[in-house]
Each structure stands twice: as structure tokens, then as C-alpha cells.
Amino acid sequence: MTKTTQPEPLTGEDLLQKVKSLGNLSKEEKAKQCGYYTVTKNGIVRVNMMKFLNALIDAEGIELDSTSNGQGRGGRTASHRIRVQSNGNLLIGSAYTKKMGLREGDEFEITLGRKHIHLKQIEPSE
């Protein structure tokens, strides 16, 4: 019995170009044409849709996983909304400062508008 070798699944730009060239085919057929399938011992073709869709997401450069940098278990994420606390303070929170790469001692200039507050980072003098 001869064993047929499966084609190497396409990735990256090659995958995107192939999917575009396949036009109006079904998702399953596109996945198969791009090499995302396996053949069972009985000769049945099984399409690996999850691997295909994940490869498409990666090829498009879309980041779905959290970026916790291996610290802790993730925890809460920044919600882009804050409330004035009972003492009148606005707390930005470490999620934002970490995302911006800010360090202790970094300074900001505060500018007030009618309904907004601008924070402009002051570069340290050389």
C-alpha cells in the first residue's frame, strides 16, 4: 500500500493570495485547496477548518491572544473608561502605563479643555 504525502498547508502571503484566487468556492473547498485537510486510513478527506481559519487570522496579522507577556494569569484588561473617585481623583491605572512603557518619575503636562483632559508626556531634558 503506497502512502500519499499530504501537501504542506499554505501560510502567510501565499495563503492570502491563494484564497483570493479561489473566488466563490466554499470555505471548506478553499481550506482543502490550501492544504488544510487530512486523509484518514479509510480514504476519507477531513478538512481542518480551525487550522485554516487560524492561519488566515495569522496571515492577516490580527492579534486575538492577550499580551500579558507571561506575567500572572492575565487579570483584568484596560477598559478605556475611568470614573472620578470619591476623593476627586482620576486613576489611570497600571494597564495603561505598562502599555505605553511609562516608568516611575515620567512627567506629563496637563491641558484642560471644556470636556476633555490632554496629557502630554514631557521628555526628560538632556
Side-chain angles (χ1 to χ4, degrees), residues 56-120:
L56 277 176
I57 289 169
D58 290 342
E60 286 288 345
I62 299 170
E63 183 64 45
L64 295 178
D65 293 329
S66 67
T67 54
S68 64
N69 297 330
Q71 298 171 351
R73 292 195 261 166
R76 296 189 300 180
T77 59
S79 66
H80 303 286
R81 293 182 68 151
I82 58 172
R83 290 195 171 147
V84 176
Q85 297 177 344
S86 60
N87 61 2
N89 289 343
L90 283 175
L91 179 64
I92 293 174
S94 65
Y96 299 106
T97 56
K98 285 178 185 173
K99 194 169 189 175
M100 291 180 66
L102 301 176
R103 295 181 308 274
E104 183 179 347
D106 286 350
E107 294 183 349
F108 290 83
E109 179 182 293
I110 299 173
T111 309
L112 300 177
R114 272 184 37 162
K115 294 220 171 222
H116 59 268
I117 300 171
H118 285 278
L119 293 176
K120 182 178 177 184

Side-chain angles (χ1 to χ4, degrees), residues 7 27-37 45 47 52:
K27 292 183 292 196
E28 289 80 10
E29 191 57 38
K30 287 178 184 177
K32 206 157 75 172
Q33 294 287 323
C34 293
Y36 287 88
Y37 68 92
V45 175
V47 179
F52 174 65

